[in-house]
Amino acid sequence: MPTKVIMPQLGESVVEGKVSRWLKQVGDSVAEYEPLLEVSTDKVDTEVPSPADGTLLQIYVPEGDTVARGVLLAMIGKPGDAIPELQNAQPALAVSDSPSLPAERRAGGEVNKGNEVNRISPVVARMAAEHQLDLSQISGTGLGGRITKKDVENYLEQRKTAVPTEAALEESEVPPWEQPVSGDLFKPTEEVFAKAQQALAPNISALTPNPSPVGRGESRSITPPVPSSPSPQAERGLGGEANKGEVVPLSTMRRAIADHMVRSKLQTSPHVTTVFEVDLSAVIAHQNANMAAFSSQGLRLTFTAYFVLAAVKGLQAQPWVNSQWTDKGVLLHKVAHIGIAVAIPDGLIVPVIWNAQDLNLMGAARQVNDLADRARAKTLRPDEVSGGTFTITNHGVSGSLLATPIINQPQAAILGIGAMQKRVVVLSDERGDTIAIRPMLYATLTFDHRLIDGAIGDGFMSIFKRVLESWS
């Protein structure tokens, strides 16, 4: 009997996914638990394993389509097995065991279109709230007319490029000084100068001798020749065909990153950054003394594990840094779920170390190793990249000395770690000042000024710095 391949629910709040790539094609043999396809969500790409041994008999959802969880994706069985004939556009209609969607309504809400209830995902609900959209004006292309994220993006793009009519401008609430007016002062420079040249053309013609064969004693035309076609040099310029460049399609992850960064920086949080310099001498000494013991446990002891535990101490002392803005008030988290930014070929992903306050150095190192390795291998679960209360990004791995990262919403702050460099510093004690060479780095805290004032941010950084510089 054939086995159904069903779109899984990839997380508590993840109710849909896009089939980004089929790893097997119709007719291919597949083993149980072997990766069968890749599914993209807003947070992560996930490989879906085959539920059984057999042959891939039919694919119902092509690459690029976004469907809800529970939708029939494919059938696996033996060659010759009878399989249902479904339309690719609505594969869920013939799936008898497709789960109901109460979580979808609870998470995202409903939009009424006549007698039809069009369920929306949390992503669509968030985009509608951010852009103040009336979803009844958007046509859904998803299952059963469901409005998808792509539908909202297309609507926003069309709204950008739409040219408002004069009547629409009059009826709008745009103030008079923001509305277009007439007159040469408000026209494009090219249009104004084109009219001026046309007005002067007769006078110029009267002053310009007719071109004629030039001989001794004859006048030359002062009108420069006009080329009948662009020169090869012009064709190779900025507007030439040779320099049009290549358009690289945006991946799901890149679109999600772009949306998240714009929303955080320009629409949500007033960003402020404070910079501290940290001496890593004590950390390096401890790392060198314990590297072998960690290696015997199969662990890499990196600086990130130290940064995580030092950040936990700072969050415990300054809980407002470990908080979240809400309409009802400031939510102070009782636990520290630390996100660690990991660079991957497609962009950046932030897996979360849950309950970091309960870990020792070995436990933190184990979590850092595991999450970083699985992030690069694209085997993280969607739930492992959500729920963070604070984020650390180590931009120094690529040589960056100083940066001002963008806050990972809905968090209140993000810690940036620059590259470690040996620098000459002045050390002071009761005996006086001495000059020494120390391994130094710049650490920055970028925080939401709605929640955190400079004294709180600096208080966090002072503890972070003290913990690292006194490690033993």
Side-chain angles (χ1 to χ4, degrees), residues 369-391:
N369 288 186
D370 174 61
L371 292 174
D373 290 344
R374 290 196 292 117
R376 296 186 180 101
K378 295 186 176 181
T379 57
L380 289 171
R381 300 185 303 273
D383 284 346
E384 292 178 311
V385 294
S386 61
T389 63
F390 183 78
T391 296

Side-chain angles (χ1 to χ4, degrees), residues 346-405:
D346 294 342
L348 191 73
I349 196 166
V350 186
V352 178
I353 299 175
W354 288 71
N355 297 304
Q357 76 281 349
D358 297 336
L359 301 176
N360 58 15
L361 187 62
M362 183 168 286
R366 192 180 304 278
Q367 290 280 340
V368 168
N369 288 186
D370 174 61
L371 292 174
D373 290 344
R374 290 196 292 117
R376 296 186 180 101
K378 295 186 176 181
T379 57
L380 289 171
R381 300 185 303 273
D383 284 346
E384 292 178 311
V385 294
S386 61
T389 63
F390 183 78
T391 296
I392 299 174
T393 177
N394 189 355
H395 55 85
V397 295
S398 58
S400 169
L401 292 177
L402 187 66
T404 56

